[in-house]
Amino acid sequence: MSRCRIVALISGSGSNLQALLDASRSGELPADIVAVISNKAGAGGLERAARAGVPAEAIDHRAFPSREAFDQALMVAIDRHRPDLVVLAGFMRILTPGFVQHFKGRLMNIHPSLLPRYPGLNTHQRAIDAGDREAGATVHFVTEELDGGPPIVQGRVPIVPGDDAAALAARVLMTEHRLYPLAARWFAEGRLKLEDGRCLLDDHPLPVGGADLETLIQ
């Protein structure tokens, strides 16, 4: 069986990309990151890809007349690499329905909240302002609804007295780096799939919030 081929989309420093690259290199993730594509030429994640010997390119969304035109060009660029899985690793673009449909069931995102709480931006400050006792991150399949696809796995992080958004974000990011390689590994091993709007792991439906990381490691 050939190894799973992953294309990663980024907009920034690419720390989750690095977690996936490291997991691939160590054998924890039985997959190859075959390309990295950014919508920003200066994204630090492109340097991470270059250091790992992974083909990388930037496609500037500002060079296109519409969101649809950019997504079409991005789709063509991705398809050249024949991916089994496309991961959004800090890709800060809202994707069009046509793009999402094209990669349906093989398009993942990681979001820094315990979805369905706090889709969108400023998740850590929103959790603090609400008086929540915990925050976290969620890996989910991407659907047309922003941050609304079915969760695959979540990791929880306590909110402690005196936390600000930056401190909480740093701790959540450490959890993200554990979650994404795990979800990608399940997919690469053929254990995870999206079917009728639900996540199935080993042919069993996952809970509505996805698997819980802490339960898995106990």
Side-chain angles (χ1 to χ4, degrees), residues 146-201:
L146 177 66
D147 299 326
I152 299 165
V153 60
Q154 291 187 328
R156 301 174 184 276
V157 174
I159 298 176
V160 300
D163 256 344
D164 60 17
L168 180 57
R171 296 204 310 281
V172 170
L173 191 60
M174 294 174 63
T175 295
E176 291 180 37
H177 296 166
R178 298 166 63 198
L179 290 173
Y180 226 169
L182 175 61
R185 187 183 86 203
W186 287 343
F187 187 93
E189 292 172 340
R191 300 173 57 196
L192 176 69
K193 59 185 175 182
L194 177 65
E195 188 173 282
D196 297 326
R198 299 185 304 170
C199 293
L200 301 184
L201 181 63

Side-chain angles (χ1 to χ4, degrees), residues 8 10 13-25 33 36 44-45 47-49 51-52 89 177 181:
I10 64 166
S13 68
S15 70
N16 271 304
L17 167 65
Q18 189 66 57
L20 292 165
L21 289 168
D22 291 347
S24 175
R25 185 172 60 246
I33 314 299
V36 174
E47 296 179 12
R48 295 179 188 270
R51 287 197 297 268
H177 296 166

Side-chain angles (χ1 to χ4, degrees), residues 24-157:
S24 175
R25 185 172 60 246
S26 72
E28 175 192 345
L29 171 60
D32 296 314
I33 314 299
V34 297
V36 174
I37 303 174
S38 174
N39 66 309
K40 295 183 178 180
L46 294 173
E47 296 179 12
R48 295 179 188 270
R51 287 197 297 268
V54 174
E57 65 176 306
I59 304 175
D60 190 342
H61 62 275
R62 297 171 298 180
F64 295 84
S66 67
R67 191 176 294 276
E68 288 76 15
F70 170 71
D71 278 12
Q72 181 62 38
L74 182 60
M75 191 186 309
V76 170
I78 294 169
D79 281 344
R80 282 201 298 266
H81 299 283
R82 307 184 315 281
D84 301 297
L85 176 66
V86 178
V87 296
L88 309 181
F91 188 65
M92 304 303 290
R93 295 282 299 169
I94 295 174
L95 297 165
T96 57
F99 183 97
V100 172
Q101 278 297 318
H102 183 74
F103 295 108
K104 184 177 181 181
R106 53 194 182 111
L107 182 61
M108 278 184 198
N109 182 45
I110 190 160
H111 182 74
S113 80
L114 297 172
L115 292 173
R117 294 178 71 84
Y118 313 125
L121 301 175
N122 303 316
T123 58
H124 307 299
Q125 190 61 53
R126 289 157 69 190
I128 292 170
D129 290 346
D132 292 354
R133 300 176 65 178
E134 61 182 7
T138 307
V139 181
H140 64 97
F141 279 113
V142 177
T143 62
E144 290 87 346
E145 181 185 356
L146 177 66
D147 299 326
I152 299 165
V153 60
Q154 291 187 328
R156 301 174 184 276
V157 174

